[in-house]
């Protein structure tokens, strides 16, 4: 729809260049020459069309006041057109009150995350596509868009908690109240719209896969108690049930105590031996708990 100046005015406009792909204006070469670019209606209307298209798309009517840099309808129309193509922003309360799909919405007081309309057997409304995702950070308390997973009670009457309750139910991550336990990524129905929330304090996260002990599948949300890898060693025995005295008689977690000189059963026969000792720290780091190296983060999930 736009005109090319050098095609419309052959010889009287600059040719197409990378800087001006539709041609460019040029002055006449002398006062009496007739080789400058025409200023006529086709060119002028071509320029006006852009600005008037902005006004039309923005639904604005000209106010018959000349635009200035401080008050420009054309600029306002451009800004409004750009904003109309962007994802709108609303507060959580405003989004929670919506009753139908209005496209993606940025929830301005919930981390400025885009939420989408969601319809399931347990929920209808706007929800974060990353609902129930575990963020890892070092903040001291949960932020407005996060919910603690510390074993509290969630209620379906709470607009934030009901989104999480629905998500867990959609995934089938629920257990009976008597079966709820710390460490499981499960919620338990307490009745009356209340649900026992997961408690992930002091547990490590691990990707789903296969149980190393049973070879059974280990899916998301499954808890596994702590354990230590099997430790082993060997010891050679001398007569009378004592540890053999040679240096190579023990290995692994076993060790030799101090040398003992003993008269066996009053026989008058003396022999040296060493008591058997056991110390797992000889082959592994030890503590009052079994753990991997860790940096603690806040136990929360995204709403």
């Amino acid at each position: 729809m736009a005109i090319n100046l050098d095609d419309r005015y052959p010889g009287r406009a600059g040719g197409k260049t990378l800087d001006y792909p539709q041609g460019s204006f040029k002055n006449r070469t002398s006062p009496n020459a007739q080789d400058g670019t025409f200023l006529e209606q086709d060119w002028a209307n071509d320029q006006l069309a852009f600005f008037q298209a902005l006004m039309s798309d923005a639904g604005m009517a000209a106010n018959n006041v000349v635009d200035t840099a401080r008050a420009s309808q054309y600029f306002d129309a451009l800004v409004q057109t750009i904003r109309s193509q962007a994802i709108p922003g609303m507060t959580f309360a405003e989004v929670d009150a919506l009753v139908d799909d209005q496209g993606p919405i940025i929830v301005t007081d919930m981390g400025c995350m885009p939420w989408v309309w969601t319809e399931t057997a347990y929920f209808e409304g706007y929800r974060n596509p990353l609902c129930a995702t575990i963020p890892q950070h070092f903040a001291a308390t949960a932020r407005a868009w996060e919910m603690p997973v510390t074993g509290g009670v969630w209620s379906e009457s709470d607009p934030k908690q009901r989104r999480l309750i629905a998500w867990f139910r959609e995934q089938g991550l629920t257990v009976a109240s008597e079966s709820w336990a710390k460490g499981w990524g499960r919620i338990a129905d307490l009745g009356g719209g209340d649900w026992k929330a997961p408690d992930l304090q002091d547990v490590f996260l691990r990707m789903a896969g296969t149980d190393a002990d049973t070879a059974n599948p280990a899916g998301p949300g499954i808890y596994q108690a702590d354990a230590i890898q099997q430790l082993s060693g060997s010891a050679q025995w001398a007569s009378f049930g004592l540890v053999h005295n040679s240096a190579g008689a023990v290995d692994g977690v076993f060790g030799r105590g101090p040398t003992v000189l003993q008269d066996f059963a009053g026989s008058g026969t003396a022999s040296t031996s060493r008591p058997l000792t056991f110390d797992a720290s000889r082959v592994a780091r030890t503590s009052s708990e079994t753990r991997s190296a860790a940096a603690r983060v806040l136990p929360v999930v995204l709403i």
Side-chain angles (χ1 to χ4, degrees), residues 89-95 106-113 115 143-146 160:
M90 294 185 183
T91 66
F92 173 74
E94 292 171 330
V95 169
I106 291 176
V107 187
T108 56
D109 54 355
M110 295 288 281
C112 290
M113 299 180 188
W115 287 27
R143 297 168 290 193
W145 54 92
E146 297 169 340
K160 292 182 178 181

Side-chain angles (χ1 to χ4, degrees), residues 194-208:
D194 290 338
W195 294 77
K196 183 71 171 177
D199 185 353
L200 301 183
Q201 297 176 101
D202 301 316
V203 298
F204 296 98
L205 298 180
R206 187 176 186 179
M207 300 299 116

Side-chain angles (χ1 to χ4, degrees), residues 151-164:
V153 176
W154 291 346
S155 172
E156 293 177 13
S157 62
D158 183 286
K160 292 182 178 181
Q161 294 173 357
R162 73 185 182 93
R163 288 169 163 80
L164 284 165

Side-chain angles (χ1 to χ4, degrees), residues 50-51 53-55 57-58 60 72-85:
F50 171 74
F51 296 99
L54 284 177
M55 296 279 287
D57 188 71
M60 299 172 64
S72 171
Q73 273 197 297
Y74 291 128
F75 181 77
D76 292 344
L78 175 61
V79 171
Q80 185 169 320
T81 298
I82 292 173
R83 286 179 175 171
S84 70
Q85 303 302 315

Side-chain angles (χ1 to χ4, degrees), residues 34 77 196 226 283:
Q34 297 183 357
K196 183 71 171 177
D226 61 336
V283 297

